Amino acid sequence: NSWVYEQYEAAPAISKILAGLLTGGVTEEIIMRLFLMSLLVLIASKVMLTENKDIPKKVYIIANVIVALLFAAGHLPSTMAMTTLTPLIVLRCFLFNGGIGLAFGYLYRKFGIFYAMIAHGFAHLIADILLTMYKIAMQYSTSTSGSFQRGYGGARHRKCTGQGHHQTSPGTWHRLCVSRKSIPHQCRRG
């Protein structure tokens, strides 16, 4: 569990960005859209077709919804590794990842697998950029004393008290430690 959490705590390295582009953008799209969605369309079209050779639009829509739900469910283990699953977290996972999965399925059906792969890869890239921007903003956040502190885990970091505070210099404290049920107490590093 802590390995996944540490990956999100660390700045996105080139290897992580490439892994997201290749694993998400290529591998997941081949498995979910090219293989699974196509298989569901093939099976449903064999069951539903009579004399007409055209596959009804509803077959693609149903296959896309099923695959999007499976795509969202596939993201639950990593979500569970980062936080405790609550009904709200599960709902967020299914709405967010399922919605994105529907979009990738639409791109696959309308334009082909290459477009779904590109969109999925860019989604990972944008998420990494936003995560980096968030971490930079957190490094320049205001401490409780009102003065700017340059990051947490930097040269000024002295010790973690285990009480939810960092001591950055003598007499200066601010809340930057993490304490969660599923993850042992540890100091964040920027």
Side-chain angles (χ1 to χ4, degrees), residues 82-95:
M82 289 182 283
T83 188
T84 304
L85 287 184
T86 63
L88 187 60
I89 295 291
V90 172
L91 178 66
R92 185 224 52 97
C93 185
F94 272 89
L95 288 177

Side-chain angles (χ1 to χ4, degrees), residues 10 15 21 25-26 34 39-40 46 50 66-67 81 95 103-104 106 119 121 140 147 150 154 157 159 164 173 180:
S15 60
L21 292 172
V26 176
L34 188 61
L39 180 65
L40 291 176
K46 295 295 182 190
T50 53
I66 291 170
V67 169
L95 288 177
F104 297 154
Y106 174 80
Y140 293 98
S147 63
R150 273 213 67 167
H157 177 210
K159 84 177 203 187
W173 299 86
R180 297 186 184 188

Side-chain angles (χ1 to χ4, degrees), residues 18-46:
L18 287 175
L21 292 172
L22 295 175
T23 303
V26 176
T27 307
E28 284 183 7
E29 289 306 310
I30 288 172
I31 293 169
M32 300 305 287
R33 257 49 84 183
L34 188 61
F35 175 70
L36 191 56
M37 188 171 161
S38 297
L39 180 65
L40 291 176
V41 168
L42 177 68
I43 292 169
S45 66
K46 295 295 182 190

Side-chain angles (χ1 to χ4, degrees), residues 110-131:
K110 282 291 195 183
F111 304 106
I113 191 67
F114 186 67
Y115 286 89
M117 288 177 177
I118 290 174
H120 197 146
F122 271 109
H124 279 273
L125 186 62
I126 290 168
D128 285 337
I129 290 169
L130 291 175
L131 182 63

